[in-house]
Each structure stands twice: as structure tokens, then as C-alpha cells.
Amino acid sequence: PIKMLVGRYYKNIDSINIAKKLFQDAINDNPYIKSPQAQLGYLYFDIEQYDSAYYYAKDAFNGIPNNNVHRDIFFKTLFSRLVE
């Protein structure tokens, strides 16, 4: 969805709250593509909220496991849980 792309733009310019809202709206629009969940996983990982990052990354990975983006963020969150 377009909201996910716009949210990614806002995330890259450090407007985290706007990006979160756009990602959540994109999930509500279409919860089956799992790309907004992966982007939320990256967002929470970047701001060091690892439990939330794991939640969204796991949802994205379980939904579409053969996607490299979903696999990347899910494995990053798993690794962060190991080293804590």
C-alpha cells in the first residue's frame, strides 16, 4: 500500500510517530501482505524496542517466510534476544 511507502519515507527522515501511524494504517488496509509489519519491525528495532520489533517481525516472517526482508528483520530480532 501507498501508506507503507510513505511511512518508510517518514521513518527515513526520523518522523517516527508519523511513520508508526502510517504503518498501522497500512496493516488495517491490508493485513495479508505483511510488508508493513516488517517495516514496523525495523522501526522498533532501530529505536531499540526489541520486544515490539520481535512481535511484528515474527508476524511478517510467519506470514511470508520466503521474503528476504521478512527473514532479515526476524533473524535480527532473534539474535538481539540471544545476546540480551
Side-chain angles (χ1 to χ4, degrees):
I2 298 295
K3 290 178 185 174
M4 193 240 8
L5 296 174
V6 175
R8 197 168 61 184
Y9 167 78
Y10 278 107
K11 177 184 167 272
N12 289 336
I13 62 168
D14 292 332
S15 295
I16 302 300
N17 291 329
I18 296 170
K20 280 186 206 177
K21 180 173 179 0
L22 287 166
F23 291 146
Q24 290 292 343
D25 290 346
I27 291 170
N28 292 335
D29 290 346
N30 188 346
Y32 303 107
I33 60 171
K34 302 299 182 188
S35 185
Q37 286 89 329
Q39 292 302 316
L40 267 173
Y42 278 115
L43 186 141
Y44 282 117
F45 191 83
D46 290 344
I47 61 174
E48 299 178 355
Q49 292 183 2
Y50 298 118
D51 290 336
S52 297
Y54 174 76
Y55 173 81
Y56 286 107
K58 182 180 175 186
D59 184 26
F61 180 76
N62 287 336
I64 304 175
N66 289 329
N67 185 306
N68 287 333
V69 174
H70 300 175
R71 189 179 307 127
D72 177 56
I73 188 58
F74 183 60
F75 291 161
K76 281 182 180 178
T77 59
L78 286 177
F79 184 74
S80 73
R81 292 168 73 95
L82 287 175
V83 295
E84 285 182 346

